[in-house]
Amino acid sequence: MVDAATLRPDLAVIARQVPSGVRVLDVGCGDGALMAALQQSRNVDARGIEIDPELVERCVARGLSVVQGDADRDLAFYPDGAFDIAILSQTLQTAARPDRMLAELLRVGRRAFVSFPNFAYWRMRWALMRRGRMPVTRHLPVTWYETQNIHHVTVKDFEELTAQLGIAIESRWFFTADREVAARGANWRAEYALFEVRRR
Amino acid sequence: MTAADPSQSYTLPDPLPLDGGQVLAGATIAYQTYGELAADKGNAILVCHALTGDQYLASAHPVTGKPGWWERMVGPGKPIDTDRYHVICANVIGSCMGSTGPASTAPDGKPWGMRFPVITVRDMVRGLVALLDGLGIARLHAVVGGSMGGMQALSLAANFPERAARVLAIATTARHSAQNIAFHEVGRQAIMADPNWRDGNYYAHGSAPDAGLAVARMAAHITYLSEAGLTEKFGRRLQDRSAKSFGFDADFQVESYLRYQGSGFTRRFDANSYLYITRAMDYLDIAEEHGGKLADAFAGHAMGKGARFCLVSFDTDWLYPTAESRHVVHALNAAGAPVSFVELSSPFGHDSFLLDVPALDRVVKGFLDG
């Protein structure tokens, strides 16, 4: 079974931040690693949404409550405030409308953790500047024409969007090469970012 | 159509109230069990059968001699593991394999025939719950069913939320659609158009409406398969001949197959039961029973109370398509019930739940053991 120590760094941070006994919705939960860790170590009531049927099957086979569905469409079916915490890890950039997805997250959850690859990371800028082509990296590994990441976003973009939507940023964490890095210059230096947000 | 075999059966001590307003007194429910019941009676799984199924879940059918209808799923070491669980499968009220139905004897000593009260899926479930009461099982580890069995599982969850800890509903729906009702009506009309049907009073005669029942089964059987599956299995290949006969023999393999399915069915099923059970399915609308909102039907499962749910659909099932399962999932979400849902890929159409779909085995095992 997965424990927090083996989770991807952003998920490990989330796992540490989630208090015990709360209700959590993991949107785009993948194979359920975070949900399993939360349920096991924190007695959390975790539910998931995942679009890939094979990943859903793995979640169900490990005893997790995961619904196969498209977060763009299916979040609407969850009642207001059904969860204490909503989680959107590395999925925002795949949303049809990331602004609406954020609003929906904070409708069904009182607070949310959102992580995404930072398109302003210096290696991205360098690749784009030097080669003039859409970068293909470890965190955005698929070419432009077949990627699910249809809305690339930067740390600055995200902060501006939250301000526009009236969403408060409670905390932020930045990572490069699976290590946490300082917030200073994060828009350049962070490969990906994690925000904890709340309705204002 | 044969009499009940000497399997387990239970005669309900109390009259069974029915949705139609009547009561059924002295009803008998025939059932089979597999695996040992734990001392605390906490390991019981109720498996509900589909329209033409019966209690012979994992043991040879007494009429056909064929293996049980879900032998691939239920048994020692199988996804529903009888080394671990006590599995109960009962013949529903209205059917014809030992449970009270239209072929049974009414209080006046004659067969019920069409005097048998019209029943609903919820009535079937009331019968199953009465059986559980008789067996002393207060709370099931799980209730499991595919197709009409899934309807019973959902109905049990909606009407008796405390009776099961897990609800697994496969290839099913919470309401019969107009298309579903339409197909059933074709089958019923085929039976009632058979001169041997005699308004349902054929039991004393030497002949039953087998031709009508066979046609009903043939029409229904098509809805259980997928176009791709039929094409792969039969295509336009001819049966036992090299050229078309330019007549109405079963030239094509698919015709021969359907005729075989139809005639085999009449040997093990009662035509009147087919009328009553299809009617019960047509009346199914779990939302309507609960004020029109499906989420309200599952209010007893909000936040940590009640059961965990798992719904499974198949991408080639056009009888109870994925949208029907999603509809239930959204209602369960709205009710705050813990629910899993997955649409599995399979070429076999609605019948996928009975056939070799390894992903289904993993989901069933994971959900029941988790």
Side-chain angles (χ1 to χ4, degrees), chain A residues 23 45 47-48 53-54 56-57 60-70 73-74 77-79 82-83, chain B residues 303-304 308-310 326 329-330 333-344 359 362-363 366-367 370:
Chain A
R23 294 164 302 165
D45 177 3
R47 315 282 175 85
E54 281 179 29
V56 176
E57 183 209 308
V60 175
R62 70 203 282 187
L64 300 168
S65 292
V66 173
V67 168
Q68 186 191 342
D70 181 346
R73 223 181 35 223
D74 289 358
F77 294 101
Y78 290 79
F83 298 92
Chain B
M303 295 304 168
R308 285 174 51 210
F309 289 77
C310 181
R326 278 195 187 284
V329 169
H330 293 151
N333 275 331
V339 54
S340 291
F341 163 67
V342 62
E343 180 192 61
L344 299 178
R362 292 192 291 270
V363 167
F367 179 68

Side-chain angles (χ1 to χ4, degrees), chain A residues 105-125:
Chain A
L105 271 189
L106 286 177
R107 182 185 64 77
V108 301
R110 285 190 297 110
R111 45 189 184 122
F113 289 91
V114 181
S115 73
F116 55 86
N118 172 31
F119 204 69
Y121 178 47
W122 71 267
R123 283 184 188 278
M124 297 281 185
R125 300 187 191 206

Side-chain angles (χ1 to χ4, degrees), chain B:
Chain B
M1 181 51 218
T2 53
D5 78 314
S7 66
Q8 295 157 285
S9 73
Y10 176 71
T11 297
L12 306 185
D14 301 315
L16 192 67
L18 304 174
D19 279 344
Q22 291 179 261
V23 269
L24 194 59
T28 293
I29 296 185
Y31 65 99
Q32 292 279 304
T33 61
Y34 308 88
E36 294 294 313
L37 184 60
D40 67 355
K41 300 191 175 186
N43 69 333
I45 293 180
L46 177 68
V47 178
C48 302
H49 69 74
L51 163 53
T52 66
D54 48 49
Q55 66 272 40
Y56 299 100
L57 171 72
S59 46
H61 194 280
V63 178
T64 64
K66 287 183 183 164
W69 57 269
W70 227 10
E71 285 224 21
R72 60 173 306 282
M73 188 64 79
V74 181
K78 292 184 181 173
I80 302 177
D81 188 349
T82 51
D83 287 339
R84 193 166 169 179
Y85 301 115
H86 177 69
V87 179
I88 306 159
C89 186
N91 192 221
V92 296
I93 291 283
S95 195
C96 54
M97 286 301 295
S99 291
T100 299
S104 309
T105 307
D108 65 359
K110 294 177 186 158
W112 277 101
M114 297 307 283
R115 299 176 302 158
F116 192 74
V118 167
I119 53 160
T120 65
V121 169
R122 181 161 58 177
D123 294 334
M124 296 174 184
V125 169
R126 286 193 183 102
L128 294 172
V129 169
L131 170 66
L132 294 177
D133 288 342
L135 298 173
I137 294 166
R139 187 170 167 85
L140 293 161
H141 177 80
V143 58
V144 178
S147 197
M148 186 181 84
M151 297 173 199
Q152 294 168 65
L154 293 175
S155 178
L156 186 138
N159 295 294
F160 304 92
E162 72 289 353
R163 296 304 291 254
R166 289 169 191 75
V167 179
L168 174 53
I170 307 165
T172 193
T173 180
R175 60 177 176 203
H176 236 219
S177 70
Q179 191 189 50
N180 296 150
I181 296 167
F183 277 116
H184 275 175
E185 179 62 0
V186 171
R188 285 190 295 264
Q189 289 300 327
I191 290 167
M192 294 191 280
D194 187 322
N196 287 335
W197 181 58
R198 301 168 202 266
D199 296 321
N201 299 313
Y202 50 84
Y203 299 109
H205 294 78
S207 51
D210 287 347
L213 181 59
V215 171
R217 175 62 170 178
M218 288 164 74
H221 200 86
I222 298 166
T223 70
Y224 303 153
L225 309 174
S226 70
E227 190 191 352
L230 271 178
T231 303
E232 190 189 338
K233 200 165 177 179
F234 306 110
R236 292 182 52 82
R237 284 191 294 280
L238 301 180
Q239 177 74 28
D240 300 333
R241 66 194 70 198
S242 52
K244 289 168 206 159
S245 71
F246 294 98
F248 294 96
D249 282 350
D251 276 7
F252 294 102
Q253 282 182 5
V254 65
E255 294 172 322
S256 171
Y257 168 77
L258 283 180
R259 288 181 188 194
Y260 171 79
Q261 291 292 334
S263 69
F265 184 55
T266 59
R267 264 179 267 127
R268 67 175 177 90
F269 215 81
D270 175 47
N272 283 343
S273 279
Y274 196 86
L275 299 179
Y276 277 88
I277 296 176
T278 56
R279 203 72 192 129
M281 294 169 78
D282 290 350
Y283 280 141
L284 181 79
D285 185 343
I286 293 175
E288 187 187 64
E289 292 170 0
H290 295 84
K293 211 172 149 209
L294 191 57
D296 292 343
F298 299 116
H301 300 278
M303 295 304 168
K305 295 185 294 172
R308 285 174 51 210
F309 289 77
C310 181
L311 281 96
V312 179
S313 70
F314 296 98
D315 57 357
T316 51
D317 183 353
W318 54 278
L319 190 62
Y320 304 118
T322 292
E324 297 294 337
S325 289
R326 278 195 187 284
H327 180 66
V328 177
V329 169
H330 293 151
L332 287 165
N333 275 331
V339 54
S340 291
F341 163 67
V342 62
E343 180 192 61
L344 299 178
S345 189
S346 157
F348 310 123
H350 178 63
D351 264 356
S352 295
F353 77 98
L354 297 169
L355 300 171
D356 184 24
V357 181
L360 178 65
D361 299 2
R362 292 192 291 270
V363 167
V364 168
K365 183 174 171 45
F367 179 68
L368 294 179
D369 296 353

